[in-house]
């Protein structure tokens, strides 16, 4: 879609590229073999070979994509491809590839690593945004403007009050994002039926080591069909996008011709109209509202997908993959629009004063 | 609807009754006057009169209900009715009723008090449920059963493993519920445009005192159009219902005639069929799944309603009222069904063993 | 909730009262016995007795409500109660009560009869609304006002153009409502597993006769787990509420103090503020927007509930009951607010002219 | 995402490629100029030049993508690029490019043309599916199997009954898809504020001609902020995916090891497990359920986006672009999985018989 950039950012696309996904799958298998090698569960030499091959970069992603349709998930053809290369290099080592793990272990852990990268980016962007807002609130703590309830002029406030409202909600949600990054980014490693039996007696140690190697949290139980952590991340992003949508919508309302109290900063070609060259349209704020329209349905999708049968779901699990990615994409884009919006916002304090002193 | 009891419980209906709602509105106005009296902002005598009248119980709720349609919210006719009685009792005191507050202060604070009661009930019920599950997990830590992935028999697990999975997710969400009760139940008090100017210099002290009197948290800023706390509570309940839906669905799947590993406990008339007397249907677990189907859309509704314009929303705010109530109702009902389910669950360890030792 | 009247109307509450629900259940059983009597499948005398008892009105609904929690649905205790009375009157007739039918036949057909009543009411209200809008559009076909895109003043239109836009969408949806009433209101009668075997060779004739007696459409197949008709009705109501939300939101925007081109008509106590007596707030339009916030999540709930297993669902089916009722309630309320809004709308043509001739 | 092919198909990706989108934008401008030339509103020579240049294929889509972020939508940089080429070719003709139209006219009409192509593909696939199901139903009209309610064995049906149920719902929805293709695929042409004034007196004739040239329906009014048609298409696809989800889920349930009545056809590598080579997992049916989990939230997103202010929305409109595309993508993928599923379905009539004659 030609309008794709509204709904994602280049850095977040990198996080969710096929290349990154494959690299993280390789990192998972490498960490597994390494941890099992250290634990003495597989031969050190086999572990080294596997880790070595996992550093290779020239994989046939297109073939993995195609085979996914038959296999049911991308981990199956990926593991086959990896085994094939290990077999050629070191035939005995092939039995130690992916040992004790299951497809969902790879896929969930990779998703978690991607989510972590996404959350880290979002936190940096949110931090930048709240810093900007704090400065803006301070700058306008005495700028009078009209407060409006049910879209009617009510009584005066300051523009600082309004910005403080935006900031206040976003600071709370910044804490929420930090919390889910800390609490919910966890390794998945439970083997075929999630009970870790396939990993043997050293299973706990292997999982702990892997979590460390991969930079994700450790957790005693597999969560193959306990999806509350993903739902929590999704909901937190949903809340963040709701707050950003409120901010963007306020700007659009304040930019109304009849109100005219703020404007999105002019840039070459920004906010023009194909038919009315004199207009200055809201752009970044429009995108923020657009994104806020999309996220609630995606969060609902994740909550609905929590009802996952037995030890692995047939469908609900698969539905999460694009939805979680879209949520992070949208959040990153929303934050990018918000930072751009605040960075270039023009505040017409004269108009604010005028509107607040001449009540209707 | 004749089936209403599936979707709520008598105790939660009490929390959300018109009588409770009115009582809490009175408590708000009483606390406001009391706090303002203590702060020396209104005469002590007036405060006492108002508090006194707020203890009266014979109010015309039907009239308030009817007037809400014209007024736009129930606080307006409520405050009128209160003022009328104060006027009769103590004409000068009428000016001190609801002083400095706005309708949304009353309505939001009352909702928060109801949510608190609801969350407290849910926590007690969830605690009972996790206790039951811990006992069940322990009792079956060595009971072999078949693990199933994508609804195919895979490898053996224990029934304890399965119960531990349910418990693990619910324990995490119990923490989440506790967190939102601590973090998100806050007083609303900001006056007409949320900047607390109407409350005067003693505004902060008044708000702190009121929060204490009403048993809710204090917060420096009004959050009239910053709805992240409500969204957070809603999402947390959504996650809880998702986990309960997974539990209920697992039971339904295990109860299948062809699987037959568990049964809902027999009670007189429970799980019968109007046309097939020999059947034993899942009942509590069916209700749990039904509720889990309803909650994601309600959470999405709350997230979508976060985009609230300026200092008070025209519509999005109002939409929250029934949705938050429904979410708490459904959660309470879901927990009630879950406790009943686990309390009376019959586990057929023989059948579990048989299914797990004769792989297909 | 004291604000309940915002979200429903008294006539629609009558349609969904326990009394109506029970009366329609009795109508179902009466029609079944009557049709089976005419078909010669049960004795005429038994049919007459059953129909007779189905005319009784003094049933213990509270007991049915309570037993639903054990039985799983209200049809089971209802049929028991009916059989009990028939047994007392005419012991041999008891075997012919509910013969060949299943709980879902009763419950689905009753819901359909309620939906029909609801759709008929909504069509009348929608007809009234489109008539009002047609008159308004005509009256203002030459009233100039400013057209606004992305909430910026763009180029002049007429107020008639704007009203025609609202009308155009609503007329299309009026056709949709008519279509679903015609296509989707169908009898449910398939017996325990939906294949109509329990109804015997005369099953088709019995179903046709019953459909006629009950005033709903006939359909050759039971649709116990094919829920597209309900989803279609739900979606249609969702679309209608979306269009009404757009109308209400436009009014709110036009009522802004800075725009001031329309006002909701003044009525005693309408649109006041508990803290700012000088304000005139949008009320009906606010309610319309509030309802439009709630309906999308409810439609999603119905669509998600379409995945119903085998011959009868355990949960998804039950989740539909309150959701469909809420959708009809909300639609009726929305139409009521819309009719009130347009009936009393004050149009400030002077302000419209001024805003459209003095571009900013 | 390596699993992308689960959620789309190559033919539908072609419909939604940047190349197609650009080609259709060019088709729109070409048709506009041609129709205006025929109507005598612009010089025939200018019209010919514009149409000529619109046949060029080497456009800088990346530049359009990038500029969209500043411009607010892709039509603005696209029209600029088109004008630039026309200017070079025939300077006087540049004033006739896009004359009287607005960005939303281009974007909405292009989306409608893409939706039409998508709906046509879906109808063909759905037709193939219902044909397959009709054959399957006929083949098994006498194959006994157990009917199951609330996932309990109830009474025997035939496999033909079950397939007929799937078919019955899908045939109704095939009519719905046909209806929305006929009723809802319409040209958008209203100019800057939707009242067609910019198109002059010949506006109606121009629009009719354009609709004919572009193969979409004609409509007297612009629908810039009346989005019921898109919502109707979205809901119809939501219903279709719900029915397909039910079908897929039934297959998964029937494939359970303990039931074993059907199997997805074996293909090389299909349905394997990375850790348990002996398993045969549901694949196509799993994908169908996954998609059915995603669509309700997307439909809700479209319904929520119907509340579009005044003459052009700031955000709600933009949110529709990816959502409508995703809905068509998912539907096409779902139908593809369903056709593959039914084409290769293995029915174990022996097991069906056995399960239905030995009631538990």
């Amino acid at each position: 879609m030609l309008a794709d950039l509204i709904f994602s950012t280049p850095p977040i696309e990198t996080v969710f590229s096929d290349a990154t996904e494959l690299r993280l799958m390789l990192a998972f298998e490498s960490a597994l073999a390494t941890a099992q090698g250290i634990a003495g569960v597989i031969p050190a030499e086999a572990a080294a070979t596997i880790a070595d091959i996992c550093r290779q970069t020239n994989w046939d992603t297109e073939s993995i994509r195609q085979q996914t349709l038959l296999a049911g998930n991308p981990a199956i053809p990926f593991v086959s491809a990896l085994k094939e290369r290990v077999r050629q290099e070191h035939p005995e080592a092939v039995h130690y590839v992916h040992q004790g793990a299951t497809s969902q272990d790879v896929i969930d852990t990779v998703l978690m690593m991607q989510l972590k990268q996404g959350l880290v980016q979002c936190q940096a962007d949110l931090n930048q945004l709240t810093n900007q807002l704090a400065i803006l609130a301070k700058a306008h703590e005495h700028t009078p403007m009209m407060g409006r309830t049910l879209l009617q002029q009510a009584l005066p406030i300051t523009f600082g009050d309004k910005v403080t409202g935006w900031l206040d909600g976003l600071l709370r949600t910044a804490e929420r994002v930090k919390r889910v990054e800390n609490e919910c980014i966890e390794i998945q490693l439970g083997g075929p039926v999630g009970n870790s039996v396939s990993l043997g007696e050293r299973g706990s140690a292997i999982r702990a080591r892997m979590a460390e190697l991969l930079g994700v949290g450790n957790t005693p139980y597999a969560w193959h069909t306990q999806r509350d952590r993903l739902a929590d991340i999704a909901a937190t992003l949903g809340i963040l996008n709701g707050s950003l949508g409120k901010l963007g919508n306020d700007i659009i309302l304040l930019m109304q011709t009849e109100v005219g109290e703020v404007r999105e900063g002019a840039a070459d070609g920004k906010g023009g109209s194909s038919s009315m060259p004199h207009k200055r349209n809201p752009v970044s704020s429009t995108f923020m509202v657009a994104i806020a329209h999309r996220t609630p349905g995606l969060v609902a999708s994740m909550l609905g997908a929590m009802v996952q049968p037995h030890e692995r779901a047939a469908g609900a699990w698969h539905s999460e993959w694009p939805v979680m990615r879209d949520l992070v994409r949208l959040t990153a884009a929303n934050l990018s629009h918000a930072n751009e919006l605040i960075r270039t916002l023009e505040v017409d304090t004269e108009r604010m004063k005028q509107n607040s002193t001449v009540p209707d």
Side-chain angles (χ1 to χ4, degrees), chain A:
Chain A
M1 194 176 68
L2 292 169
D4 273 338
L5 294 179
I6 297 173
F7 302 104
S8 191
T9 65
I12 217 71
E13 285 307 299
T14 303
V15 173
F16 292 129
S17 71
D18 286 0
T20 300
E21 193 177 341
L22 191 80
R23 187 171 53 71
L24 295 177
M25 288 175 118
L26 289 163
F28 176 93
E29 298 295 347
S30 173
L32 175 62
T34 302
Q36 288 176 324
I38 292 169
V41 168
I42 70 170
E45 199 191 354
T49 302
I50 293 169
D52 232 47
I53 288 174
C54 286
R55 275 187 287 272
Q56 295 181 5
T57 53
N58 55 336
W59 300 83
D60 184 353
T61 52
E62 188 51 34
S63 163
I64 292 171
R65 289 170 61 86
Q66 293 295 336
Q67 289 177 74
T68 295
L69 267 187
L70 281 176
N73 70 59
I76 296 171
F78 158 73
V79 170
S80 295
L82 175 59
K83 284 186 171 171
E84 187 49 36
R85 290 211 184 168
V86 172
R87 183 177 293 114
Q88 286 166 13
E89 185 77 23
H90 183 351
E92 307 92 88
V94 77
H95 308 295
Y96 304 118
V97 172
H98 189 67
Q99 184 183 293
T102 191
S103 294
Q104 190 166 6
D105 292 336
V106 189
I107 290 172
D108 280 351
T109 303
V110 167
L111 177 59
M112 280 293 185
M113 288 191 280
Q114 290 177 301
L115 291 177
K116 184 175 177 173
Q117 291 181 28
L119 291 177
V120 166
Q121 281 191 23
C122 288
Q123 283 177 89
D125 293 345
L126 182 49
N127 193 42
Q128 183 187 342
L129 179 62
T130 52
N131 285 342
Q132 283 204 72
L133 289 173
I135 292 165
L136 188 66
K138 184 73 189 159
H140 290 284
E141 67 179 324
H142 301 304
T143 304
M145 80 182 300
M146 186 48 90
R148 294 172 178 95
T149 57
L150 295 103
L151 280 86
Q152 297 293 304
Q153 290 192 358
L155 293 168
I157 58 171
T158 67
F159 185 50
D161 289 336
K162 190 182 283 279
V163 179
T164 299
W166 300 335
L167 177 59
D168 184 44
L170 289 171
L171 286 173
R172 282 194 294 272
T173 297
E175 288 303 309
R176 290 183 180 103
V177 177
K178 198 180 300 174
R179 180 184 65 77
V180 294
E181 197 219 317
N182 286 337
E183 288 181 12
C184 300
I185 300 294
E186 304 282 350
I187 193 168
Q188 178 70 279
L189 188 71
V193 286
N195 60 358
S196 302
V197 166
S198 59
L199 295 161
E201 290 179 6
R202 306 297 314 276
S204 288
I206 292 166
R207 185 167 40 224
R209 174 77 65 169
M210 278 185 74
E212 202 189 315
L213 289 169
L214 297 172
V216 293
N218 191 18
T219 175
Y221 299 111
W223 44 278
H224 291 149
T225 50
Q226 292 296 340
R227 314 302 282 180
D228 53 287
R229 289 183 183 100
L230 287 177
D232 201 352
I233 297 171
T236 300
L237 298 181
I239 293 170
L240 176 51
N241 283 290
S243 293
L244 293 172
K246 187 266 189 284
L247 196 170
N249 194 47
D250 275 1
I251 296 292
I252 291 170
L253 291 172
L254 293 175
M255 275 183 74
Q256 288 176 100
T257 313
E258 296 86 354
V259 179
E261 299 180 2
V262 302
R263 281 166 80 96
E264 289 200 19
D268 207 31
K270 187 168 185 191
S273 156
S274 74
S275 54
M276 294 166 286
H278 63 283
K279 279 184 67 187
R280 176 100 71 87
N281 286 323
V283 174
S284 301
S285 46
T286 290
F287 296 160
M288 292 167 72
V289 169
I291 290 173
H293 268 284
R294 289 189 61 192
T295 48
L298 298 174
V299 175
S301 194
M302 287 302 301
L303 290 170
M306 287 183 71
V307 181
Q308 303 206 352
H310 292 328
E311 282 64 63
R312 181 154 318 124
W317 170 44
H318 308 69
S319 76
E320 300 167 350
W321 307 340
V323 176
M324 286 306 296
R325 283 163 174 85
D326 274 354
L327 274 168
V328 178
R329 272 189 188 101
L330 290 169
T331 307
N334 211 340
L335 286 165
S336 166
H337 300 315
N339 272 311
E340 167 71 10
L341 172 68
I342 301 299
R343 193 180 61 75
T344 64
L345 191 72
E346 298 170 7
V347 182
D348 188 336
T349 57
E350 207 43 52
R351 188 76 175 263
M352 285 182 176
K353 198 176 179 183
Q354 192 180 339
N355 284 341
S356 63
T357 47
V358 189
D360 192 59

